[in-house]
Amino acid sequence: MKKIALTVSIIFALAAVAGAQKQAKPWTEWSEKEVNKMLNDSPWGQTQNETNTSEMFYKPTSGSGGSRGEQGALNQATNISYGIRFLSARPIRQAIARRVILQNPQMAEQLKAFAEQQSDKYIVIAVDYNSADRRLSGPVMQQFNSANIGLIKNSTYLERKDGKRIFLDQYMPPINDGMGAKFVFPRMLDGKPFLDKDSGYIRFYSEFPGAQGIKLNMRFKVAEMNYEEKLEY
């Protein structure tokens, strides 16, 4: 009997250790790789990649001007990526804070409130962009900087699986904070939170005016947006 009791005790002890090992690592200990994973490939942060193949093949650059004459022919496919993130969700803000702290450890205390603050009034989507070719990123930067609520309000929304939408409430162009443009939406619809565990998915959509306007379209699974036993968005 003593041997059985000892065996049972060992099993429970091992189970407790395994449970402890499964606990999420605190954001203050995340590595750079874990930060990038959270920002770019997680329930709260995804990457939209766009490829332009219109100038893959050589064409003589016209001396009379035009976009090719002014910018130079690219003669190759060009790529730009958009990071689309729930800035109102704590794990995204924690990843942003951790990214800064990894380079500037002295800012840890200063960024704690930003990382831990709860959001109960708005849903905020942050969008930044990256391209190796400035001839592609330049026009995108110009579009983000010149946009305003009047231009994109009716073509920017969050949509649930049941088709219900909430439209843009505020727009903030990028500033020098490393987070990109901010799209702000009400958190409530008809007096209730826009999302719950049964919402299925939430889609962020935004289309900027113009033939070459930015078009953002990303879907997130609500069932995966649980963080510290709470739906976080």
Side-chain angles (χ1 to χ4, degrees):
M1 289 295 293
K2 287 184 179 180
K3 288 184 178 179
I4 294 174
L6 180 60
T7 302
V8 171
S9 297
I10 292 172
I11 291 172
F12 274 110
L14 291 173
V17 170
Q21 289 175 340
K22 290 180 181 179
Q23 290 181 358
K25 183 193 292 187
W27 69 269
T28 52
E29 298 176 10
W30 289 350
S31 66
E32 182 178 1
K33 183 178 179 180
E34 289 166 325
V35 165
N36 290 333
K37 174 75 173 175
M38 180 61 74
L39 292 174
N40 302 318
D41 184 19
S42 76
W44 304 273
Q46 291 291 323
T47 304
Q48 176 177 320
N49 294 302
E50 300 288 344
T51 301
N52 180 357
T53 60
S54 63
E55 299 206 39
M56 280 186 69
F57 305 104
Y58 174 76
K59 298 176 186 176
T61 301
S62 171
S64 60
S67 62
R68 290 175 65 86
E70 294 167 3
Q71 299 180 19
L74 301 178
N75 303 320
Q76 61 184 358
T78 54
N79 300 282
I80 189 163
S81 61
Y82 298 96
I84 302 174
R85 300 153 184 148
F86 279 80
L87 187 59
S88 47
R90 283 183 301 144
I92 290 297
R93 281 182 280 113
Q94 289 168 359
I96 291 170
R98 181 61 177 160
R99 182 171 62 184
V100 174
I101 292 167
L102 284 170
Q103 297 182 0
N104 303 280
Q106 71 277 9
M107 295 188 68
E109 192 62 32
Q110 191 176 338
L111 289 167
K112 187 176 180 181
F114 166 78
E116 297 288 358
Q117 183 179 358
Q118 301 280 351
S119 178
D120 57 4
K121 191 174 182 181
Y122 296 107
I123 302 172
V124 184
I125 303 293
V127 181
D128 70 5
Y129 59 92
N130 182 56
S131 177
D133 197 310
R134 293 184 63 182
R135 290 170 292 186
L136 190 63
S137 61
V140 170
M141 178 179 68
Q142 189 174 28
Q143 288 184 67
F144 272 126
N145 288 342
S146 61
N148 58 60
I149 185 72
L151 282 175
I152 62 173
K153 180 178 176 63
N154 294 328
S155 58
T156 303
Y157 54 81
L158 296 175
E159 180 183 64
R160 298 187 313 215
K161 185 178 180 180
D162 63 5
K164 291 286 182 70
R165 295 175 177 177
I166 51 174
F167 283 84
L168 189 67
D169 185 68
Q170 300 175 49
Y171 173 75
M172 290 173 273
I175 58 175
N176 190 27
D177 61 5
M179 290 184 278
K182 286 90 171 174
F183 300 77
V184 183
F185 302 87
R187 203 171 183 86
M188 309 290 283
L189 178 68
D190 300 328
K192 298 178 181 179
F194 184 63
L195 292 183
D196 61 33
K197 62 182 179 63
D198 299 316
S199 294
Y201 66 78
I202 181 169
R203 180 167 75 109
F204 168 68
Y205 184 87
S206 182
E207 187 170 351
F208 287 52
Q212 301 299 320
I214 298 167
K215 185 180 289 186
L216 304 167
N217 187 8
M218 186 59 64
R219 182 183 293 190
F220 299 82
K221 294 180 181 178
V222 176
E224 296 179 357
M225 300 174 76
N226 284 302
Y227 188 67
E228 296 180 349
E229 300 183 355
K230 176 187 175 184
L231 180 61
E232 187 75 40
Y233 61 94

